[in-house]
Each structure stands twice: as structure tokens, then as C-alpha cells.
Amino acid sequence: MIEQRPLAELANDRRFPPDPQFGLVYAALAAGNSQGCYWHAATWSSCWDQANNVLYLAGERALNQAEFNQHWLQTVVPAMPARHVIKLRLLRNSQLELSDLLSPYQAQPSNSYFFRDQEQTLVNSPLASQFALRQLDAELLQLPSAQPIIQEISWMWPSLERFLANGLGLAICVEQTIVAWCTAEYLSAQRCGLGIETLEAYQKQGLGFHLASAMLAACRGRGLQAHWECSSKNLASYRLAQKLGLQQQPGLISYGLVWL
């Protein structure tokens, strides 16, 4: 029998290991700064992270394929937003086989890197005169160029109002145009995931490093340990994490991408 249970009960589910990446996600869910659901079955459990459209799955032994298909097609898929890609992440302590679970679906294996801030000293060069570093506040989000940021916040947070009240973010502007931004994702009392983006026309000018350094300093000022995730295919993000002195964490999670 598959039951949806309160998220608070997930903390007592021993199927979920003390994994740094899932721990970041769950802490934000528990704090009310992200949205998701928790399901429990006889031999497996799952947690949906609505922000990044991820279903985390952990189990004690091979689950019944028909049972999983029922869960996937009748419960999970209808709840997912229409963003085309659903990520299924299998926690590595699980005895479930990812390849078996994905066999009925169109899927492609993928990997990611996960880092944490070790609070190394960062030397940030001054921005060129045409650039201005600004707080990502309600006034800045009124700019027409802020629409991609608002969309990102709407994915990652329960509401824009909650982000403005509890979150943090920085942006680099050229006059009244936002050309790069970094926002708090998966925020809890102790931890903060970082999301960063630079418009293509302004890449390779050092804006990412300047922005990320400033966000790391802002997190440290609030007593937050910052975290960083990037796809194994995103070499630019991986190299930036290394340049920032972030420490790579053990890869405890593997996942496949499922197209619907």
C-alpha cells in the first residue's frame, strides 16, 4: 500500500541515508522554503522535490514494477509541473535497481557534482565600471530583465513573497538591465544551495566568480553553509566551483532523466 505522509515524518524514515545533497533538499522542505511530497510503501519510500522536479527513491529490496508504475503514473506524474523532464534519483544505499525501474520509460543516465563551502579566503577583483552589484530585492525584480529570475524563484520557492522575506540573492546590472544573478535555493536555518546564471553575451568576463564570491560572503554572514550543484556536462560551472575553493562531496546519488 502506498501512503502519502507528512514531510515531517520523513526524518524518521531510515531508508533515506544521511546524504549531504538530499539533506540540503529535505532541510529546505522542512523549513517551508521548498515544496514537495513524501510517500511510503512496504519496501520503499519516495520524496518529490517540486523545485527541481526530482523524485528521490530509496528502498530495502526490489520493488514490484506494477506497484511502482501505479505510483509513477497515477500519483507522481500528474503532480509534476509541465516542465517535460522528471529526474529520478536513486539513493545509493538503496537495493533498488535504477535500470529496472526505468526500463518502461524513455530515459538517459546522467550525473552531477555536489560541493560545499569550506570558507576559504576569496580575493574578489573590483567590477569594471559598467557593472554594478545589487541586492536582489522587490525593486530590482520590477525590471523587465528580471523575468527569468522570477520564473526561477517560482520553481524553487513556494512564492515570490516568501523568497523576498526569507531568501537572499544578488545581481550584476548594466544600467537597468540584469546580466547575471545568484539566488538562494534550498534554504534552511543552516544551509543554502546557490543558483547562478550569466547571460551569454556577458560570459567569460569574470562576473560569475565575482557574483558567487559575494554570495558566499553573504551566506557566511548569515551563518549559512553554501552548497553548489552542477551537471557533469557543465564544465564551466564545475571549474568555477573549483576556483571558489568549494569542496566536492561524495557522489551518493545517481539519477536518470525521464522524458514524458
Side-chain angles (χ1 to χ4, degrees):
M1 180 179 178
I2 304 168
E3 296 180 316
Q4 183 172 344
R5 295 185 176 180
L7 278 166
E9 293 187 14
L10 191 151
N12 299 319
D13 191 331
R14 296 183 179 180
R15 294 169 184 164
F16 289 92
D19 173 68
Q21 188 171 5
F22 180 71
L24 171 72
V25 173
Y26 175 67
L29 288 169
N33 293 326
S34 288
Q35 298 183 87
C37 298
Y38 166 48
W39 293 280
H40 186 275
T43 61
W44 55 275
S45 302
S46 66
C47 179
W48 173 38
D49 162 28
Q50 181 177 332
N52 269 320
N53 223 17
V54 177
L55 183 72
Y56 290 89
L57 187 64
E60 300 165 4
R61 59 180 184 271
L63 58 79
N64 181 283
Q65 185 72 54
E67 183 183 54
F68 178 75
N69 288 348
Q70 175 190 348
H71 178 53
W72 184 264
L73 295 175
Q74 296 182 16
T75 306
V76 178
V77 173
M80 297 287 184
R83 287 170 60 189
H84 307 298
V85 177
I86 294 175
K87 304 172 188 175
L88 177 62
R89 296 191 170 180
L90 184 71
L91 301 184
R92 289 190 185 243
N93 75 318
S94 171
Q95 299 176 35
L96 305 175
E97 289 293 336
L98 185 63
S99 57
D100 291 343
L101 295 176
L102 293 180
S103 59
Y105 308 100
Q106 185 179 6
Q108 176 182 329
S110 184
N111 293 290
S112 65
Y113 298 113
F114 187 68
F115 302 86
R116 69 175 180 180
D117 181 24
Q118 289 295 94
E119 300 201 13
Q120 294 188 14
T121 301
L122 297 170
V123 179
N124 217 349
S125 301
L127 282 171
S129 58
Q130 70 267 32
F131 299 116
L133 181 68
R134 295 181 59 182
Q135 193 79 28
L136 201 58
D137 54 19
E139 179 183 356
L140 198 64
L141 290 174
Q142 294 294 322
L143 295 176
S145 57
Q147 284 307 306
I149 309 174
I150 293 174
Q151 184 180 51
E152 180 181 327
I153 292 171
S154 72
W155 287 338
M156 302 302 301
W157 285 75
S159 67
L160 179 61
E161 291 73 22
R162 189 168 183 88
F163 171 81
L164 290 171
N166 299 330
L168 67 156
L170 296 171
I172 292 177
C173 300
V174 175
E175 297 180 346
Q176 294 299 302
T177 299
I178 301 172
V179 300
W181 59 91
C182 188
T183 60
E185 301 177 347
Y186 301 120
L187 181 69
S188 59
Q190 290 84 31
R191 306 172 72 180
C192 178
L194 301 184
I196 189 167
E197 185 74 30
T198 302
L199 297 183
E200 185 175 1
Y202 293 90
Q203 293 176 4
K204 299 181 180 180
Q205 299 184 47
L207 299 185
F209 180 80
H210 189 98
L211 190 57
S213 298
M215 271 295 285
L216 290 176
C219 286
R220 294 171 187 177
R222 286 179 52 166
L224 299 169
Q225 183 175 65
H227 296 266
W228 183 287
E229 181 187 357
C230 66
S231 165
S232 58
K233 297 179 181 180
N234 191 342
L235 294 180
S237 182
Y238 179 80
R239 289 167 181 160
L240 179 55
Q242 290 184 313
K243 187 176 180 181
L244 291 164
L246 305 182
Q247 182 184 61
Q248 187 172 335
Q249 300 297 284
L252 298 181
I253 301 175
S254 61
Y255 62 90
L257 303 185
V258 180
W259 283 261
L260 302 178

